[in-house]
Amino acid sequence: MFLDETTRQWEGVDGERPVAAGRRTAAALATLERVDAGRLVVADMPARAADEHALEECAAILSGRVDAVLLGDAPDARVQYPPSLRAMLLARQGIAVWSGVNCRDRNRVALEGEVAGLAVAGVAAVHCVTGDHTSIGHRPDAMPVFDLDGVELAAVARGAGHLVSVAEAPAAPPVGDRVARLRVKEDAGADVCFIDHCGGTAPVRRFVRAARDAGSELRFIACVPAVFDVESASELDSFPGLVLPAGFMQRIAGARDPRRAGIDSAIALAEELLEVDGVDGVDLSGGSGPGGELAYAEAVAEVADGITGVAA
């Protein structure tokens, strides 16, 4: 990806070959309509990276209770099912898959193949990220690839007709460049931005307003910390660049029933975020410790029920 630091314009893959936007897939159109309707509820998929039964069991719990599951490449496992296969497995459960793809372990040919496979799988959207540092995970001996970055991948996915999302972390350095970086991703083909944990409702509101002032027309989905026990708290704490609302973790850790406190806190924050002008949905974000995936999925589903009114 070539980025002119003066104009900050998207110049296309390799700086020479821009990728034309492709005709939207049927799944992309359906998801776009759902996003524009507002109050979208997405949930991170807690299942293990290469476990067919775990994926299907977690999907069965969340199916019908969230609008989509965000299922990306696990940062702590280098060897895992390809995104298109994961999407196919979850399609059996009737759940919409917001498929994450990273550039860490795939060259551009492999990425183009995954993007094509995800269209066949009928994914709701493709979430494009560059990928985690190569020292993370159980195979540090594997050669890193990074043939493309997340911005270039967004262009490739949009060229294939997908609804494309990217992430931005307003609280992570360089804070002052975050909106400009987001505009580059938008120019490349992004439709939706997941706003990473940045300290609560007020910082999200400021970031969305700053993006609008800079000319952005992106839809925004705000991340809500889904923390129900010590293990899920540790999992979320391992994510780089995030900032949780003041006192959020302490309230849950000090509660007599941390699970209930975590569910109630997530519902309350989600409702606040959904009232922010420009926020079209929330992502119930986090994960569980090994062996706690099904219990975690049940708790996330209860949060989703509370947001949609099922539990009222």
Side-chain angles (χ1 to χ4, degrees):
M1 183 272 290
F2 176 75
L3 172 60
D4 185 315
E5 290 295 337
T6 302
T7 61
R8 294 189 179 275
Q9 294 293 313
W10 163 247
E11 299 290 347
V13 173
D14 296 332
E16 298 176 357
R17 293 171 289 180
V19 180
R23 182 179 179 181
R24 297 282 193 187
T25 67
L29 289 172
T31 307
L32 187 60
E33 183 177 353
R34 182 65 191 85
V35 173
D36 286 342
R39 295 188 68 83
L40 187 84
V41 179
V42 180
D44 287 6
M45 171 60 78
R48 293 182 293 277
D51 188 324
E52 175 183 356
H53 298 298
L55 284 167
E56 292 180 338
E57 287 175 335
C58 286
I61 292 169
L62 293 167
S63 181
R65 300 169 80 176
V66 299
D67 294 297
V69 290
L70 179 60
L71 178 57
D73 295 310
D76 59 349
R78 300 291 292 272
V79 180
Q80 50 197 297
Y81 293 151
S84 51
L85 175 58
R86 294 195 300 255
M88 290 286 195
L89 292 173
L90 294 194
R92 301 174 184 173
Q93 302 297 326
I95 194 166
V97 178
W98 201 298
S99 183
V101 183
N102 81 62
C103 306
R104 177 186 63 193
D105 302 313
R106 305 177 180 99
N107 67 15
R108 67 191 60 202
V109 174
L111 289 168
E112 289 169 355
E114 282 299 335
V115 165
L118 291 170
V120 175
V123 296
V126 176
H127 186 62
C128 300
V129 297
T130 299
D132 301 287
H133 192 277
T134 53
S135 65
I136 296 175
H138 73 290
R139 291 297 303 275
D141 57 316
M143 180 179 293
V145 183
F146 296 112
D147 191 15
L148 301 179
D149 64 17
V151 179
E152 293 166 318
L153 179 58
V156 171
R158 182 63 188 88
H162 290 289
L163 183 72
V164 177
S165 68
V166 294
E168 204 45 81
V175 172
D177 290 342
R178 286 293 166 180
V179 170
R181 289 161 62 105
L182 181 62
R183 292 289 290 119
V184 172
K185 295 174 184 179
E186 184 173 4
D187 289 344
D191 303 289
V192 177
C193 172
F194 281 72
I195 303 176
D196 206 353
H197 308 283
C198 59
T201 304
V204 168
R205 182 180 292 109
R206 287 195 296 269
F207 183 72
V208 172
R209 184 182 299 124
R212 291 284 183 257
D213 289 345
S216 176
E217 297 180 359
L218 286 170
R219 291 83 168 171
F220 290 95
I221 295 175
C223 289
V224 173
V227 178
F228 312 113
D229 51 35
V230 173
E231 288 76 17
S232 58
S234 298
E235 181 76 12
L236 196 58
D237 273 341
S238 70
F239 297 168
L242 65 83
V243 176
L244 299 182
F248 191 91
M249 298 286 274
Q250 292 79 2
R251 286 194 299 273
I252 296 169
R256 179 174 299 178
D257 183 351
R259 183 182 186 278
R260 186 70 253 168
I263 290 171
D264 292 342
S265 296
I267 292 171
L269 181 56
E271 291 291 354
E272 288 181 12
L273 289 167
L274 288 168
E275 292 300 316
V276 173
D277 185 29
V279 171
D280 299 298
V282 292
D283 172 37
L284 307 179
S285 172
S288 70
E293 294 85 1
L294 295 183
Y296 183 87
E298 288 282 5
V300 167
E302 286 189 41
V303 174
D305 290 344
I307 297 168
T308 60
V310 172

